[in-house]
Amino acid sequence: MLRSVSYYNTPSPAAPPVSRRAVTSAASFDGGSTTIRSGVRFPRLRSSNRRRAVTVRASVETGEAQQVEAPPLPSAGKKKQATRRDVRNIAIVAHVDHGKTTLVDSMLKQAKVFRDNQTVQERIMDSNDLERERGITILSKNTSISYKGTKINIIDTPGHSDFGGEVERVLNMVEGVLLVVDSVEGPMPQTRFVLKKALEFGHAVVVVVNKIDRPSARPDDVINSTFELFIELNATDEQCDFQVIYASGIKGKAGLSADNLADDLGPLFEAILRCIPEPRIEKDEALQMLVSSTEYDEHKGRIAIGRLHAGELQRGMEVKVCTSDDACRFAKVSELFVYENFSRVPADAVQAGDICAVCGISDIMIGETIADKSTGKPLPTIRVEEPTVKMSFYINTSPFVGREGKYVTSRNLRDRLFRELERNLAMKVEDGETADTFIVSGRGTLHITILIENMRREGYEFMVGPPKVINKVVDGKTLEPYEIATVEVPEEYMGSVVELLGKRRGEMFDMQGGAEGTTTVLKYKIPTRGLVGMRNSILTASRGTAIFSSVFDSYGPWTGDFMSRDLGSLIAFEDGTTTSYALFNAQERGQLFVRPGLDVYKGQIVGIHQRPGDLAINVCKKKAATNVRSNKEATVVLDEPLDFSLDDCIEYIQEDELVEITPRSVRMLKNPKMAKKNSRG
């Protein structure tokens, strides 16, 4: 039996070898030979058609080796492409909370982007108010630094799976990615998603094991898990030969060994220059720039952001804007900007290979190509995965309509929703059954919730229904979306979490000990509709100790109906103002959402019933004022009401319930258009 080991006969770069102490091999059998991909460091393959692959076949029995010359690598194309040695374009991708934005902060500081005496806030790339409040990155953002005469364009991307569309649309702007992995948690669901997309683009990957200074760090296990993930995603031998950098983003240190970090991020910058390919350009070809992002400025109007693939773009230049269906229109570039350090700097001309921002084209859309006026042709458009969750948006019809909001009509609502499509590729908006209903589809509940939160801050009033999954019908069979859910939970609460996931039709396919030693990591394949409302339920079952995350996997067979909520709601019996006297009696029926002195209306949900089914109660009843009481009134002691956020309300409501959203309030109510079910009042 012959065992063949494939590698490439190219010179190895002058880089220190990376230690991979445990080697994982993936073997595929084909005609009696075994191809081994191992975690040891291969020589890197550069993009040259003159170098040829060499196969060494070694006989297991005799140990003899025979060198067999393989055919030349296929040509990438007939056009001769040059490279720009003074530019690198990278995206930083990772699972949520693995330290991408903090790492970018340290890179900016060490590249002397800011003055020594300048006050810089933490997570400076998270400039959006919502991003700062929630502690997550929502929008992809561009910046650049200079290192040893090379300009490094950096794109900071979101880590949450619901904003995967932001990652997909910017990957065509770069040649490589920094895959940031937590030194304790290792690869997580979103790590798999972003790595899969990067490998599909053929990008080079530098793995950064971040938070290496954590006491429970386990870098060797994390590297092996990451390498296994590369194998599962069918990475090439060259992609599997990834460079590993160990780093502490918050301390601004990095190194080639977990035990020997440099005093700065120099090893990381060197790895970017060494491992990330130079941009391949067609300098002498006609102008081509694919628009990957858009922004809006009050003075400059719409700004198109993208990477220049070919030619040269100049300020004041007349161009042709092309779409994928060969529909073209003419425009003129009024202003041109490039990214330098942490700002946009005006430029007279931009060469191919760089990332730039273009002003003057008022109707430019993401996915369109800015091309040469006479001979320009469109580039392939940007494609993102389809939405999996939809929600219905309605105009506000409650008795309190117009009290707080500025925009309340269906025309206002429709214009704002369709305007969101200009920059949010992963979202879809459709007209509903009536003129005041709109169907918004997104990659997850959080994806749509962020839109809702932005709209309420802009002064909109509206209502939304519960999230619903988007099913498909294939060959007469109904398919629903499934997700891979990962839960890290202490062992004493594992039983409750397993029972909860089982009720939602989840199937466990992996269970292993957690990084801390006292926790267990559970991995489930579960229907997306089973995850609606799951976050709060898991936190309740684990007393707030569980860590929960999920990412879309695939479509699978419909698993049947199941109950997502066991308890009913407490419904306001009449319009009025809540009183302490009424709430004292009402709190015996369940947990309340309201305090004394709040205005409520008939049909509003004011609490959670302690039993299945809804119950109508009077929370506005006043104590009778008579003159026959001489004794002192007893002090009323009220329980602290539940404080539900917007996300909590959307997870709580069911089919016959709505959430009313205004700039200062979030209320839940029974849908007046649907017959009340399970009512006991």
Side-chain angles (χ1 to χ4, degrees):
M1 174 180 175
L2 294 179
R3 174 177 296 170
S4 65
V5 182
S6 298
Y7 66 97
Y8 291 99
N9 187 21
T10 58
S12 178
V18 177
S19 172
R20 304 237 178 107
R21 300 175 186 173
V23 177
T24 307
S25 297
S28 59
F29 297 91
D30 183 15
S33 64
T34 306
T35 300
I36 305 294
R37 289 180 181 172
S38 69
V40 296
R41 190 170 178 79
F42 288 106
R44 296 189 181 279
L45 174 65
R46 297 300 179 190
S47 57
S48 172
N49 296 330
R50 293 174 299 186
R51 300 188 177 111
R52 294 173 293 179
V54 174
T55 302
V56 174
R57 292 191 174 180
S59 173
V60 177
E61 292 82 3
T62 65
E64 297 176 354
Q66 179 183 5
Q67 179 168 305
V68 182
E69 198 172 272
L73 293 174
S75 173
K78 295 183 179 180
K79 292 182 179 180
K80 185 178 180 180
Q81 291 186 330
T83 60
R84 284 193 63 176
R85 306 193 63 177
D86 61 334
V87 174
R88 297 292 189 278
N89 299 316
I90 63 170
I92 300 185
V93 298
H95 185 78
V96 63
D97 202 30
H98 278 198
K100 298 181 305 300
T101 306
T102 304
L103 182 63
V104 174
D105 281 358
S106 295
M107 295 174 70
L108 291 171
K109 291 175 182 176
Q110 294 190 19
K112 301 300 182 183
V113 172
F114 311 108
R115 301 189 313 272
D116 292 337
N117 63 345
Q118 184 174 349
T119 302
V120 182
Q121 58 189 357
E122 291 184 0
R123 303 198 323 275
I124 190 170
M125 293 295 286
D126 288 345
S127 54
N128 187 292
D129 290 340
L130 269 180
E131 292 178 323
R132 294 200 157 276
E133 291 174 14
R134 293 173 177 258
I136 60 175
T137 302
I138 298 173
L139 303 174
S140 296
K141 301 176 191 66
N142 298 64
T143 188
S144 76
I145 60 176
S146 294
Y147 181 76
K148 292 186 176 180
T150 301
K151 179 181 179 182
I152 303 176
N153 288 310
I154 301 173
I155 304 178
D156 184 24
T157 64
H160 202 287
S161 59
D162 284 26
F163 309 112
E166 290 284 311
V167 180
E168 291 176 85
R169 68 177 174 82
V170 301
L171 284 179
N172 65 79
M173 299 168 64
V174 301
E175 284 76 36
V177 298
L178 298 186
L179 180 68
V180 181
V181 184
D182 190 286
S183 64
V184 176
E185 296 180 357
M188 296 292 281
Q190 182 66 1
T191 310
R192 182 186 184 93
F193 174 80
V194 295
L195 179 59
K196 177 184 176 184
K197 294 300 178 184
L199 294 177
E200 288 176 355
F201 275 87
H203 291 332
V205 181
V206 174
V207 176
V208 180
V209 181
N210 197 26
K211 304 184 183 180
I212 198 66
D213 54 335
R214 292 181 64 175
S216 54
R218 47 188 189 99
D220 292 338
D221 293 337
V222 169
I223 289 298
N224 290 330
S225 300
T226 305
F227 180 74
E228 291 173 358
L229 183 58
F230 273 75
I231 296 297
E232 290 176 17
L233 297 176
N234 298 319
T236 64
D237 287 343
E238 187 183 11
Q239 289 172 328
C240 288
D241 177 28
F242 51 80
Q243 174 74 60
V244 179
I245 298 294
Y246 302 90
S248 171
I250 196 168
K251 292 183 177 180
K253 296 182 178 182
L256 297 174
S257 170
D259 303 323
N260 186 21
L261 299 184
D263 295 331
D264 55 20
L265 294 175
L268 176 60
F269 292 134
E270 292 291 344
I272 293 173
L273 299 186
R274 185 176 65 250
C275 303
I276 303 300
E278 302 159 356
R280 290 188 296 273
I281 61 173
E282 298 172 7
K283 186 175 181 180
D284 298 329
E285 297 293 326
L287 168 67
Q288 281 185 315
M289 171 185 162
L290 182 65
V291 179
S292 300
S293 179
T294 59
E295 295 180 4
Y296 185 80
D297 184 271
E298 291 184 358
H299 305 289
K300 298 180 177 64
R302 187 173 298 180
I303 303 173
I305 302 170
R307 176 175 174 267
L308 202 59
H309 289 262
E312 182 184 42
L313 185 61
Q314 300 176 352
R315 185 174 59 182
M317 186 177 185
E318 293 185 351
V319 296
K320 182 165 61 175
V321 180
C322 304
T323 60
S324 57
D325 55 357
D326 293 331
C328 299
R329 60 190 186 277
F330 295 98
K332 184 177 181 179
V333 177
S334 61
E335 292 187 75
L336 192 60
F337 297 88
V338 294
Y339 289 90
E340 287 187 9
N341 297 333
F342 196 63
S343 59
R344 282 198 291 254
V345 179
D348 293 327
V350 177
Q351 304 294 328
D354 207 350
I355 295 175
C356 62
V358 178
C359 303
I361 309 176
S362 60
D363 57 349
I364 191 72
M365 301 290 289
I366 294 176
E368 294 183 332
T369 302
I370 299 176
D372 184 77
K373 182 179 179 181
S374 56
T375 61
K377 296 181 180 179
L379 290 165
T381 188
I382 301 174
R383 299 190 182 275
V384 298
E385 292 190 4
E386 292 294 314
T388 58
V389 175
K390 62 182 179 180
M391 293 176 64
S392 297
F393 282 55
Y394 309 89
I395 61 170
N396 191 1
T397 56
S398 80
F400 296 164
V401 60
R403 288 191 179 185
E404 302 173 3
K406 182 179 179 181
Y407 308 106
V408 297
T409 66
S410 60
R411 181 177 59 83
N412 295 143
L413 183 59
R414 188 181 191 278
D415 291 346
R416 176 62 181 85
L417 291 176
F418 279 92
R419 194 163 67 245
E420 182 70 17
L421 300 182
E422 295 177 1
R423 71 160 318 279
N424 202 330
L425 283 187
M427 187 168 285
K428 291 185 177 181
V429 178
E430 302 170 331
D431 291 317
E433 297 179 354
T434 61
D436 56 0
T437 305
F438 307 95
I439 309 298
V440 179
S441 305
R443 294 283 278 271
T445 305
L446 181 61
H447 188 198
I448 305 177
T449 302
I450 294 297
L451 168 63
I452 294 172
E453 182 65 38
N454 282 325
M455 290 176 62
R456 69 177 290 223
R457 296 185 182 204
E458 294 168 11
Y460 286 84
E461 276 193 19
F462 54 98
M463 293 179 172
V464 297
K468 299 178 182 178
V469 298
I470 300 174
N471 298 323
K472 291 182 178 180
V473 178
V474 179
D475 296 331
K477 296 181 180 179
T478 301
L479 304 180
E480 63 175 331
Y482 280 75
E483 300 196 19
I484 299 297
T486 302
V487 186
E488 184 173 353
V489 61
E491 294 178 357
E492 60 264 33
Y493 303 121
M494 188 175 68
S496 301
V497 173
V498 169
E499 180 183 3
L500 183 62
L501 290 165
K503 289 181 179 179
R504 302 291 187 95
R505 301 289 195 271
E507 295 182 1
M508 184 192 302
F509 64 88
D510 189 21
M511 180 175 66
Q512 51 187 262
E516 304 292 342
T518 59
T519 60
T520 302
V521 178
L522 309 173
K523 293 186 178 180
Y524 276 79
K525 185 174 183 179
I526 184 171
T528 299
R529 60 194 172 98
L531 296 177
V532 176
M534 178 64 74
R535 181 173 59 90
N536 282 338
S537 300
I538 285 184
L539 289 176
T540 301
S542 64
R543 304 295 189 269
T545 58
I547 300 174
F548 175 78
S549 60
S550 65
V551 67
F552 173 75
D553 180 58
S554 60
Y555 274 81
W558 174 265
T559 57
D561 296 325
F562 54 82
M563 289 290 295
S564 60
R565 197 178 79 195
D566 298 328
L567 303 178
S569 299
L570 298 176
I571 313 300
F573 183 72
E574 61 181 358
D575 300 350
T577 303
T578 57
T579 64
S580 300
Y581 176 72
L583 295 179
F584 179 72
N585 296 321
Q587 68 185 8
E588 298 177 0
R589 303 288 190 175
Q591 294 178 290
L592 298 177
F593 296 142
V594 294
R595 302 175 182 271
L598 288 180
D599 291 337
V600 297
Y601 52 81
K602 183 178 180 180
Q604 181 178 335
I605 298 175
V606 295
I608 303 175
H609 192 202
Q610 61 188 1
R611 295 185 177 87
D614 298 335
L615 176 66
I617 59 173
N618 191 345
V619 292
C620 303
K621 184 178 181 181
K622 297 180 181 179
K623 191 173 182 179
T626 63
N627 58 0
V628 298
R629 291 185 178 87
S630 58
N631 59 326
K632 186 178 180 181
E633 290 188 7
T635 302
V636 175
V637 179
L638 297 177
D639 296 334
E640 184 68 18
L642 294 174
D643 187 13
F644 269 21
S645 65
L646 173 62
D647 303 70
D648 297 330
C649 292
I650 290 176
E651 286 188 353
Y652 176 81
I653 60 173
Q654 290 191 320
E655 184 68 25
D656 61 338
E657 297 168 344
L658 300 172
V659 178
E660 178 192 359
I661 292 133
T662 68
R664 294 196 297 270
S665 306
V666 177
R667 308 180 186 92
M668 292 179 286
L669 67 150
K670 304 301 287 188
N671 190 341
K673 296 182 180 179
M674 299 182 65
K676 294 182 180 180
K677 300 177 182 179
N678 302 324
S679 178
R680 297 178 57 188

